[in-house]
Amino acid sequence: MVGVHGETMYIEIRNLTVKYKDITALENIDLRIEGPGLIQVLGPNGAGKSTLLRSIAGLVKPQKGCVCINGKDTTANPRLAGRSIGYVAQKPEVSKYSTITVREFLCYSYMIRRQRWPRPPCRKLLSSNELFINEDILDRKLTELSGGQLMKTYIARSLMSAPSILLLDEPLGPMDPASKLEFADIINMLSKERLVLVTSHDPIILLEYTDRILLLNKRLIALGSPSEVLREEILSKAYGRGFREVEYHIHLFDSHY
Amino acid sequence: MRSSLSYRIAIFITVISVILSIAYIIGNSYPIEWFFTIVMSSTAMGSLSILIYTRRLRYLAASSPHAAFLAAGLGIVASVSIGGNWFLWTIIIGMVLVYVAGYMIYKGVDPEDSASIFVAFSSSMGALVLYYVLTRYSYGVSVVSIVIGDPLLSSLEIVAYSIVIGLLSVIYVYSVGREIIYIGSDIDDARLAGLKIWLYDWSLYTMIGLTTIGLVKSVGFVLEHVYLLLPGAIAAMMCRGVARSITFSILVSILSASIGLLISISLDLAPSAVSGGILIILFVISAIMKGR
């Protein structure tokens, strides 16, 4: 429950129900997750994975229930949640006319959280290895980055507020196969000191680093270790017949993803 | 490197064009207010332009001149039938219309849909109101300037307004532009950081409204679209970095306004139209340079 820097990191969700008009996205979710560690959030399309992450970040107002981060009620309160949480949305989109550079994007994220003067310099943070951003892309516009570089930049941005909890919504989606493997290592490194929740359609890439899997299909189906959750009788509750169990499975990271 | 060079060239050419334009006006004993009206009007719109693109408010920006068109017509009717100042009526009515359009977008109505409805409504109502004004009142010159703009006929009130709104827009953009651009780049993180999105959006709607509505008579509602949209598009193509692109957008606006004024006085052409034409030429040159 306590990270290496001494911060507490736990998420407690009670009776959470979220609806978009008449469509139920999440229903009566009750769970408690503690960190540090890596939690993969799995479920079929429309299972409510993204909604769960957005609810934890306080970006969604639930119909009922509450979300507590490190003991504080942060339900629909992004400002309060943002003190502990870094969040990266699925497929971040940038206006094609945006002129903001990677350096500015990271620095602004840092500075808008520190309104008091004098603001500590951002330059030191940018040279930090933990941001895993190559120097040569710092002065590029966000619009000039590849999908993978853009996702890395957004994840680096989420670290600028030094969060104890990271919520990453399908971070591996826009990446090429080589970047996926590199990025799996980065997520593993980040989860050593933080509670990291990652939504995914493919659990294999991060499986060796995963502490627990949270299986959803609007309701909480299971929360446990990979060996407890990745079983036919459990997966069928979320996916129905939408999965195959293969012995001696080899996952290929082909370049035509 | 190339971005830095084009930035320096833009500064140099803008300074030269401003000096030439002022020298020509003073040398030929034309009123210097002409220069301030057109350059400050252009500066106001050019400074907001880059924020409009980054915050994805092109549809609102495209709707706003139509709101100004309708408000200017209703302002004439209100000032004649109820009394009071036309300019003040226009601002009040126009701001209500812009806030309605902005509120629709803020509440999640698709910007394309809201702009379509809004433009259709304000254009047809505006034409109706101006026809009414033309056939019943002796406001022919005012109606023409609302449509095509004439900074050379501006009253002292509008000259003063242009200077104030031009300066206010520049101060606004340099003071809160960074936050607005960040919101446009990552609205979720802006919420997590505690930024009051509604307040920044409301302030931007207000600035767009005050600029387009207050300057409709000097720029004309047709060319307001060009003044509001092209400088940001040019800066986005030519620059890297927020501060640099804001400055570039303002420089492009000042350059087109001052050269446009010089040419229009020399050749007896409509100043807003010539400045708009220069912006289009600059846009095409930028697009060719960037291979778009």
Side-chain angles (χ1 to χ4, degrees):
Chain A
M1 206 149 81
V2 179
V4 290
H5 294 309
E7 316 96 311
T8 54
M9 48 185 92
Y10 67 94
I11 300 166
E12 201 166 4
I13 296 175
R14 285 193 292 266
N15 203 22
L16 187 77
T17 297
V18 179
K19 289 182 181 177
Y20 297 116
K21 292 184 180 167
D22 294 331
I23 299 165
T24 302
L26 291 172
E27 199 171 4
N28 296 325
I29 304 283
D30 274 293
L31 58 85
R32 183 184 165 99
I33 313 167
E34 295 163 2
L38 174 61
I39 315 280
Q40 281 207 66
V41 182
L42 301 182
N45 276 332
K49 302 186 293 293
S50 298
T51 302
L52 179 69
L53 260 51
R54 292 183 70 77
S55 302
I56 293 170
L59 296 165
V60 171
K61 193 175 180 184
Q63 265 58 42
K64 60 176 184 172
C66 65
V67 177
C68 290
I69 308 287
N70 299 336
K72 288 178 189 151
D73 185 351
T74 58
T75 314
N77 188 342
R79 185 177 194 153
L80 191 55
R83 291 180 190 167
S84 312
I85 279 179
Y87 168 75
V88 178
Q90 191 180 354
K91 293 181 193 159
E93 278 181 23
V94 184
S95 161
K96 67 173 182 170
Y97 291 99
S98 178
T99 57
I100 193 167
T101 62
V102 173
R103 187 188 301 276
E104 286 174 329
F105 183 60
L106 298 176
C107 285
Y108 288 4
S109 172
Y110 178 69
M111 286 193 286
I112 57 174
R113 288 174 162 83
R114 287 158 187 80
Q115 297 296 340
R116 285 187 192 158
W117 294 90
R119 287 172 172 146
C122 177
R123 207 177 304 138
K124 247 184 195 175
L125 281 171
L126 290 183
S127 61
S128 156
N129 286 334
E130 207 187 31
L131 291 179
F132 48 83
I133 290 281
N134 292 335
E135 280 275 332
D136 59 338
I137 69 159
L138 281 176
D139 290 316
R140 282 198 211 163
K141 292 195 265 189
L142 294 188
T143 52
E144 294 169 340
L145 303 180
S146 67
Q149 287 172 328
L150 190 64
M151 184 51 86
K152 274 187 188 177
T153 301
Y154 271 78
I155 294 175
R157 184 276 295 146
S158 74
L159 297 174
M160 298 303 280
S161 59
S164 56
I165 298 169
L166 262 184
L167 309 174
L168 310 177
D169 198 353
E170 294 207 31
L172 303 176
M175 293 188 182
D176 59 76
S179 298
K180 279 185 185 184
L181 293 173
E182 180 200 345
F183 215 70
D185 291 335
I186 291 170
I187 290 175
N188 176 42
M189 183 191 76
L190 293 173
S191 68
K192 300 279 185 217
E193 298 180 6
R194 298 170 188 81
L195 172 57
V196 181
L197 269 73
V198 177
T199 67
S200 171
H201 279 290
D202 184 353
I204 302 300
I205 303 165
L206 288 168
L207 197 59
E208 63 178 301
Y209 310 122
T210 301
D211 295 294
R212 281 194 284 174
I213 288 179
L214 194 163
L215 186 63
L216 270 184
N217 194 0
K218 299 188 191 296
R219 288 171 169 270
L220 179 65
I221 307 287
L223 173 61
S225 66
S227 60
E228 287 170 335
V229 177
L230 296 180
R231 288 159 51 197
E232 188 180 352
E233 65 270 25
I234 306 281
L235 290 172
S236 62
K237 288 180 188 170
Y239 290 92
R241 297 180 61 210
F243 71 95
R244 292 284 179 275
E245 191 176 8
V246 181
E247 212 172 352
Y248 307 122
H249 176 97
I250 294 172
H251 189 88
L252 300 171
F253 300 96
D254 75 83
S255 57
H256 302 292
Y257 177 83
Chain B
M1 193 70 166
R2 198 174 176 183
S3 159
S4 174
L5 183 66
S6 53
Y7 185 72
R8 284 180 199 160
I9 292 171
I11 293 174
F12 178 74
I13 297 175
T14 305
V15 171
I16 297 291
S17 69
V18 167
I19 293 169
L20 278 177
S21 185
I22 292 175
Y24 187 81
I25 288 170
I26 293 173
N28 289 284
S29 305
Y30 292 118
I32 193 71
E33 297 91 271
W34 290 0
F35 174 82
F36 287 118
T37 308
I38 192 159
V39 168
M40 294 311 278
S41 302
S42 188
T43 301
M45 295 191 192
S47 55
L48 297 174
S49 188
I50 203 87
L51 299 190
I52 287 166
Y53 275 102
T54 317
R55 189 65 191 92
R56 300 166 201 245
L57 288 176
R58 270 185 295 167
Y59 294 111
L60 180 81
S63 306
S64 187
H66 294 266
F69 175 64
L70 172 58
L74 287 173
I76 295 174
V77 176
S79 62
V80 171
S81 50
I82 302 170
N85 184 294
W86 166 82
F87 189 65
L88 205 59
W89 274 116
T90 302
I91 295 278
I92 292 167
I93 297 166
M95 288 310 295
V96 170
L97 292 169
V98 169
Y99 285 145
V100 168
Y103 188 72
M104 283 162 72
I105 295 171
Y106 185 77
K107 291 308 279 183
V109 178
D110 180 68
E112 272 188 67
D113 293 342
S114 61
S116 305
I117 297 163
F118 191 77
V119 168
F121 168 75
S122 50
S123 301
S124 49
M125 288 302 292
L128 194 74
V129 171
L130 288 181
Y131 182 81
Y132 180 84
V133 169
L134 274 173
T135 51
R136 283 166 178 78
Y137 311 128
S138 54
Y139 273 86
V141 175
S142 288
V143 171
V144 170
S145 59
I146 288 166
V147 177
I148 61 167
D150 196 344
L152 312 188
L153 286 180
S154 297
S155 61
L156 272 179
E157 190 181 40
I158 291 178
V159 174
Y161 188 84
S162 309
I163 295 170
V164 170
I165 200 73
L167 292 174
L168 200 62
S169 299
V170 171
I171 293 166
Y172 172 79
V173 168
Y174 281 110
S175 52
V176 301
R178 184 180 59 197
E179 280 81 357
I180 290 175
I181 285 173
Y182 192 76
I183 291 168
S185 307
D186 194 342
I187 192 164
D188 288 331
D189 190 56
R191 286 199 177 109
L192 289 170
L195 289 187
K196 291 182 172 63
I197 312 289
W198 68 267
L199 187 60
Y200 287 101
D201 281 350
W202 175 81
S203 69
L204 187 54
Y205 298 163
T206 303
M207 289 307 297
I208 292 170
L210 288 176
T211 304
T212 50
I213 296 155
L215 301 175
V216 68
K217 220 171 165 182
S218 51
V219 177
F221 104 96
V222 177
L223 284 153
E224 278 191 336
H225 297 87
V226 181
Y227 279 45
L228 212 48
L229 296 177
L230 283 193
I234 295 167
M237 280 191 275
M238 299 304 292
C239 291
R240 275 203 183 105
V242 170
R244 186 164 279 201
S245 58
I246 289 173
T247 308
F248 197 89
S249 180
I250 294 171
L251 288 172
V252 163
S253 303
I254 295 173
L255 173 69
S256 62
S258 49
I259 296 278
L261 182 63
L262 198 63
I263 295 172
S264 61
I265 296 174
S266 313
L267 303 176
D268 194 21
L269 297 169
S272 298
V274 176
S275 300
I278 291 168
L279 276 175
I280 292 165
I281 292 168
L282 291 174
F283 178 81
V284 172
I285 293 170
S286 308
I288 291 168
M289 281 173 71
K290 292 292 168 184
R292 293 195 181 184

